[in-house]
Amino acid sequence: MALTFHYAARSDVGLVRKDNQDSGYAGPHLLAVADGMGGHAGGDIASATVITELVEMDHDSLTAAEASLRLGKAITAANEEISRTYADNPELEGMGTTVTALMRARNKLILAHIGDSRAYLLREGRLSQVTKDHSFVQTLIDEGRITEEEASTHPQRSVVTRVLTGDPDDEPDVGAREARRGDRYMLCSDGLSGFVALDTIEEILTAGSRPGQAADDLVSLALRAGAPDNVTVIVADVVDVTSAPSTQPQVVGSAALRSPGRRAQDSPASRAAALTRADDDEAVELDEQGGSGRRWVRRLLAAGIAVLLLGAVAYAGYAWTQTQYFVGVQDDNVTLYRGVAQDLGPISLHSVVEQTDIEMHELPSFYRSEVEETISVSSRSEAEQRLDSLRVAAQKCSDLRASGESCGG
């Protein structure tokens, strides 16, 4: 029986931090959470770097042994990239990131972990933590100097002892587990696990709601608890591949906003630029071999080709924008747009698809901010899912306010 993940990923900046240094990825064969550190100048880059490296692992063609080896190598490659980034930018000293990744390989799940982000397993109604924190308080627990209960309020509970910092000795723990249909996994940064009680998390995960709703509810709980840190949550059910809903891979947090500089972008623009450079080089070589008349002909020919290529790139770029969607605001209502939330001079790159009945003032403040900054989605179906989540959040917020309770800070 072939298995896969039915998943949802959510990330929120929280109520105190100005920037989101968490990153996350959820796909049919790979789940990953990374919590960056080192301040805005470095933490967001570090977490995005490791997630960008890991997304290429999201396929099902590997055995458990191959997946274990390649997952470890991918994290090592990300760590080396962090080292190179710091070497080129000394002001990023102290940057680093946790990573907790779960990869499906046939009937096995390969778990890689370093830091204090966590993975939990809900099996037959019982929730258990399947990762072990690499933290100062965990060391005290292991030595018998404090209890689990004392660790939850220890003043140094956020001090980690192992993370990816670019040092060659930074290596994750890697192990294998059985993939069992009906299991539910939850990966999170300590913005959730550090501020929401385990029995409350268990209650949400056992409620029977779909991964997207469970993830939304967990983020909401963290925000109601004050959310002094970024909050990233992935909820994924292990299901039969024939019954899994069609869901697009989801990138959240810092990784959704930036692309680490190491990778060359294989875009129409970059390919056109490469072709233009090749044409210019050829023109120079011909200039050296021919007379001035032929030099001008070649130059004009090269210029004409460059114009055509730029036109083709512009058209291809515009066509691509019209395959994208985003959620934004129009007349104080949540609105679905086709395109991207940008203009090219006088040319608008988006148009309204649907102005919903969801009023912005009904949303919790953290969702309102997210919509105001626009939420990019890669398909109409994903857009409808986000609108459904926002509609539910608005209704819950309205109910809370009606009963005299606050909503979303």
Side-chain angles (χ1 to χ4, degrees), residues 337-377:
Y337 292 84
R338 180 195 298 273
V340 294
Q342 296 175 358
D343 294 328
L344 189 61
I347 302 173
S348 176
L349 298 180
H350 55 267
S351 59
V352 173
V353 175
E354 174 191 359
Q355 186 181 59
T356 74
D357 57 354
I358 308 170
E359 298 181 3
M360 288 291 289
H361 67 271
E362 291 292 340
L363 288 171
S365 59
F366 48 93
Y367 281 123
R368 193 159 57 244
S369 298
E370 191 178 31
V371 174
E372 288 171 348
E373 293 176 2
T374 72
I375 304 170
S376 298
V377 290

Side-chain angles (χ1 to χ4, degrees), residues 46 55 125 140 164 167 246 261 277 299 354 374:
V55 295
L140 298 180
L164 298 182
D167 190 294
S246 177
R277 286 194 299 271
R299 288 175 180 173
E354 174 191 359
T374 72

Side-chain angles (χ1 to χ4, degrees), residues 292-315:
S292 59
R294 281 182 295 173
R295 283 200 298 271
W296 281 108
V297 170
R298 296 299 183 184
R299 288 175 180 173
L300 289 172
L301 180 59
I305 292 173
V307 170
L308 290 174
L309 285 170
L310 290 173
V313 168
Y315 176 79

